[in-house]
Structure formats: structure tokens, C-alpha cells
Amino acid sequence: MLNNKPNITVIDAPMGRGKSTAMIHHINENPDENYVVVLPTRSECVRYAEALERVTTVPHLDAVSSKESLLTIFNEAVFRGETIITTHALLKLWDDTSILALRGKNYTLILDEVLEVVHPFPITAKDYNALKAGGIIKESQDELTGLTRVNLTDPEYQGKHDDFIRQVARGNVVRVRDDFCVWLTGAQRLTAFDEVLVLTYNFQGSIMSAWLKLNNLTYNTKSLVNGEFVGYMPEFGFPFRELIDIVQDYELNKIGGRHHSLSSSDLAKAPAEKLKRLRNNIRKFFKRNDAKEPHYNMWTTPLKFKPKLQCSPFGYIGGRVSPNQLRKMKAEERVQRDTHVAYNMKATNLYAHKKYLAYAYNVFPNPALTRLFNECNIPFDRDQYALNELVQWLWRSRIRQGKDITVYIPAKRMRNLLIDWLNTESPADLKTTQQAA
């Protein structure tokens, strides 16, 4: 049960508006307050640490490699009452020691971008039932949400399902219907704080927004104007309409004409000929826009489909390298070698020189997530979720600097979501668009 309901404020403003800069200024203007700042990347941790006018602890700057060591550094900094700058990845590791240490310390939590609070856990129904029948786990009804929560009954378990059992032990797993187990971030990660600030755009369309409703947590929304946090004013894509040139070529776009075309399931079962056609379409798009300069190109598809869709000249820039070599590169070097950028990439300026963009994906949330929220009668808009993912990705490019971009989006659904957003200037326009659809 929740024993504290934090005051949650969402700073909802378009990407590139200066939310991080305004928050750094806010922290510097409040030297007597202590903060835990959670950022998407290590490079952002470094940027914050260099800009703040106070001593901070940044676990990732220490010469350690293990997750346990990073968590120990975090916990010790909390006990000392220091301002801490860390990553979303480390927040997922917070344990009971972390939560208990944070409570009563009057920390303010700052989340740059929404938390990954819910996702499916890969365990088969057969394996799950075997663990249950063996007395390793049991089920109970969560008093707050009514969900079927999975509890650990044998803490001595060791076996091939260690990762799953570890999440069960942390109270993070629920079962949805008969065939889905879901990793569900415990609300105690927020309720350990009195104040929480979230920096993002279109929060209403995020999974985290639905998760807050699931946990009976409310939030206030503010906008950012001239570096100041003010009353919320919804912002849409109309101001960027002249900066985004969307490819309207029937031959290139017909491959994505159906509602679910180029979704994960569609790409997974696509015959080789269809993948070859999509690969050639992307190549044609880049060739039309001077593929001799791939430094300006950026494309995406889920990582598992990348090898099937990648070919020169929109593959690697500095000659071909192996996936293992690519993993070992620093982020700055990788940008110079690989034009593929993860479709869910957020909060980085490394790609701010990119001009020609190809988005070869049709985004749908995992069915386990929609079933979870449906079961709890929590509204969740799949189209808003997809639009968020697309817009966040586009804003990794040079449009964040106010410069024009050219975009190839073969999935008709995704293309139309973007067009509707760009044609929306006010909530009244949004209602008109929805009625027309």
C-alpha cells in the first residue's frame, strides 16, 4: 500500500524547447534543496554535473562496471544526503535499501523523460505454471489495483529463471489473463519522494501517465515559456509544419498501406521479397537526397530487423564494421559509423546534424500492455503512444535546431498521425481532425 502521495508536476513542452536548461537553472536557484536527477543517458549525466553549481554524485563517472557497485555508490550518496545524478537504468535497480534511505530525506526527484514502467516479461506459460506448481511462486490480488500479483515463496531458488524470480522478489511482476506476465515498476520509486518533476512532451499519451492512474497517483501539468514554468498550454505540431517535408510518393509508400503494415508482427512474417522491396525503397529515398553524404542520413526499424533492411549506402559510413565492434564504440564514434538510430531513442543531441530521415516502422504497444490497462479500465491511446515515439525520434535530428528535414514514413498510419499533428494548432483543431477521421 502507498503510504505517501507525492506532488507530481509534469513539465510538458516540445523537444528542444529547453526543458533541461530550465531545470538546471531551477536547481541552481535552489541551493538548499537536494535532488535526485534521473536522465536517459550517461552523457546527459555529465552535462548536468558540469552545469550545476554544487557538488554532485554521479555513480557512472566512477571506474566501476557492475550494477551492484553503481547501486552501492547511489545508496551511500543518499545516506550522506548528496545531490545525485543518475540514469533511468540505475533507477530500475533501486532496492528496499534505496527506497528506505530516500524516505524522509526531503529529496526532490527530477525525471528527464518518462520512466519505462511497464513491459512484458519473457517467460512461457509452461515455465510459469511449473514454478507455481513447484511452490516457488504464488499469486495474490493486489489491494490497490486489483491485479494478480506474483509473489515469491522460495527465496532460495536458483535456476534458469533467476531474472524472473529477481523481479518477483522486488514485487514487480503481475499476471495478465492467462498468458502474460508484466514487469511493473513499483510505485514506491516515486512515493519515496514528496516532490516529483517530470520533463517530457505529450505526457498524456505515455504509458507512464496510464501507470500513474493505475496507482491512483495524480499529477499537475505545466508548460515552459521563455525558460519559465507556467500554466499548461497544450502545444501541437503546427509551428513545425514548414520544417518537415514528408515524402508523398505512391510507389515508395504503397508498401505500408494497411493499418498494421510494417508493425513488428508484420515485419516478422514478411516474405523476403517484401523486405527487399522496403530496403530498396529506403535506398531510393536516400539516393534522391544525395546519398554520397550519408553523414546526414538517419533511419530506423526495430533492431532485430536491421540486418534485413540495411544495405549501402545507408548502412555504415566509415566502412563496414561488425556488430561487436559497433557495441564497443563510444556513442560519438558510433554516430559517425552507423546511420541506424533506435526508434525509441530519446534525450540526445548526437544526431542533431541529420537531415534525411527514414522511419521504417509502424509502432504499436505490446498487446500485454494494452490488456493490462484494459483489465484495469485505464484509458490508453495507442495512436498517441505511436505519435510520441515518432515525434521523439524525429527530434533527434536537426529539426531541434529549427532546421528543415525530409522524412520518408512508408507506414500510412504513422504518416497520417504525423500529418494530423502538424495540421493541429489548438485543441479545437484536434477535435475537428478526430471527427473528420
Side-chain angles (χ1 to χ4, degrees):
M1 294 294 290
L2 302 182
N3 56 14
N4 178 54
K5 287 194 176 182
N7 179 30
I8 302 173
T9 301
V10 176
I11 311 300
D12 195 312
M15 298 65 59
R17 179 60 60 80
K19 295 188 291 292
S20 296
T21 300
M23 188 53 63
I24 288 170
H25 178 74
H26 172 80
I27 295 172
N28 285 335
E29 288 292 301
N30 293 275
D32 296 329
E33 300 292 328
N34 262 0
Y35 298 89
V36 173
V37 184
V38 179
L39 305 166
T41 64
R42 293 186 180 188
S43 60
E44 279 294 287
C45 291
V46 174
R47 183 170 78 89
Y48 260 78
E50 292 175 346
L52 291 180
E53 300 169 355
R54 64 173 70 195
V55 176
T56 62
T57 294
V58 186
H60 305 281
L61 297 186
D62 289 84
V64 296
S65 56
S66 72
K67 296 177 180 178
E68 291 75 16
S69 297
L70 292 172
L71 186 60
T72 297
I73 294 172
F74 175 84
N75 289 341
E76 290 175 350
V78 172
F79 282 120
R80 293 192 298 267
E82 299 171 352
T83 289
I84 307 166
I85 305 173
T86 186
T87 62
H88 284 254
L90 187 57
L91 179 145
K92 291 181 182 178
L93 299 178
W94 292 359
D95 54 16
D96 290 343
T97 301
S98 310
I99 302 301
L100 289 172
L102 286 164
R103 285 178 177 157
K105 287 288 180 66
N106 296 319
Y107 272 110
T108 293
L109 174 65
I110 297 174
L111 299 173
D112 194 329
E113 290 303 338
V114 296
L115 294 178
E116 183 186 12
V117 289
V118 186
H119 65 78
F121 205 98
I123 185 170
T124 66
K126 180 179 178 181
D127 287 344
Y128 177 87
N129 288 330
L131 290 173
K132 188 178 174 183
I136 309 299
I137 59 175
K138 67 176 182 179
E139 296 176 351
S140 64
Q141 187 176 48
D142 187 277
E143 295 181 24
L144 178 65
T145 64
L147 291 169
T148 300
R149 186 165 293 281
V150 183
N151 304 299
L152 182 64
T153 54
D154 182 3
E156 303 301 319
Y157 171 86
Q158 290 184 333
K160 66 176 183 178
H161 300 298
D162 279 347
D163 288 343
F164 177 72
I165 294 299
R166 192 175 301 115
Q167 296 302 333
V168 171
R170 292 174 179 168
N172 289 336
V173 179
V174 297
R175 189 174 189 181
V176 182
R177 300 191 182 177
D178 292 328
D179 55 347
F180 287 112
C181 283
V182 176
W183 184 93
L184 193 69
T185 297
Q188 66 270 20
R189 284 174 174 78
L190 297 193
T191 60
F193 300 87
D194 292 326
E195 295 282 339
V196 176
L197 297 168
V198 184
L199 314 181
T200 191
Y201 173 66
N202 196 15
F203 183 71
Q204 190 61 37
S206 70
I207 289 176
M208 185 177 175
S209 173
W211 174 81
L212 289 179
K213 295 182 178 73
L214 181 66
N215 286 283
N216 197 28
L217 294 173
T218 60
Y219 60 89
N220 298 310
T221 310
K222 291 187 177 182
S223 292
L224 181 66
V225 176
N226 297 325
E228 299 292 331
F229 304 133
V230 300
Y232 181 53
M233 299 175 289
E235 296 185 68
F236 304 97
F238 193 81
F240 310 106
R241 196 169 52 162
E242 301 303 319
L243 293 177
I244 302 180
D245 179 21
I246 303 173
V247 173
Q248 298 287 3
D249 182 314
Y250 174 76
E251 288 301 318
L252 291 185
N253 286 337
K254 67 181 181 181
I255 194 170
R258 295 183 295 106
H259 185 72
H260 285 87
S261 292
L262 310 187
S263 64
S264 286
S265 58
D266 184 60
L267 289 170
K269 64 186 180 183
E273 179 57 35
K274 180 174 181 177
L275 295 175
K276 179 181 179 181
R277 191 162 72 251
L278 178 58
R279 183 172 68 242
N280 287 338
N281 285 355
I282 299 172
R283 182 176 51 150
K284 288 177 183 177
F285 163 69
F286 284 129
K287 287 187 69 174
R288 290 177 185 176
N289 292 287
D290 195 5
K292 291 180 294 184
E293 296 292 341
H295 177 68
Y296 297 108
N297 298 343
M298 178 169 115
W299 72 289
T300 198
T301 196
L303 197 58
K304 62 183 176 180
F305 304 117
K306 176 185 174 183
K308 298 180 180 180
L309 295 179
Q310 174 176 277
C311 70
S312 181
F314 61 92
Y316 301 112
I317 294 173
R320 293 199 175 276
V321 295
S322 71
N324 188 47
Q325 288 174 308
L326 201 61
R327 281 193 294 270
K328 293 179 179 179
M329 291 178 184
K330 293 182 178 179
E332 293 78 4
E333 184 182 2
R334 192 181 304 118
V335 170
Q336 303 304 320
R337 302 295 294 271
D338 190 7
T339 57
H340 181 272
V341 178
Y343 74 91
N344 55 358
M345 180 68 70
K346 296 179 176 69
T348 178
N349 296 322
L350 290 174
Y351 309 95
H353 57 286
K354 301 291 187 178
K355 182 178 181 180
Y356 304 109
L357 287 61
Y359 197 89
Y361 189 38
N362 188 359
V363 178
F364 288 91
N366 190 289
L369 307 188
T370 53
R371 291 191 187 191
L372 168 70
F373 294 125
N374 286 341
E375 194 164 288
C376 298
N377 296 314
I378 302 294
F380 181 65
D381 191 323
R382 299 192 304 172
D383 285 347
Q384 281 295 309
Y385 171 78
L387 177 65
N388 278 4
E389 295 290 288
L390 172 58
V391 170
Q392 284 279 3
W393 187 83
L394 295 178
W395 252 255
R396 298 312 102 213
S397 74
R398 70 185 213 159
I399 194 172
R400 65 187 301 109
Q401 300 175 340
K403 298 179 181 179
D404 64 300
I405 58 174
T406 300
V407 184
Y408 172 47
I409 309 175
K412 181 179 179 180
R413 169 177 169 264
M414 299 297 292
R415 192 167 62 250
N416 285 344
L417 286 173
L418 180 61
I419 291 171
D420 287 346
W421 180 73
L422 291 172
N423 288 331
T424 301
E425 188 173 11
S426 69
D429 293 337
L430 185 63
K431 292 176 183 177
T432 302
T433 301
Q434 290 173 340
Q435 289 168 357

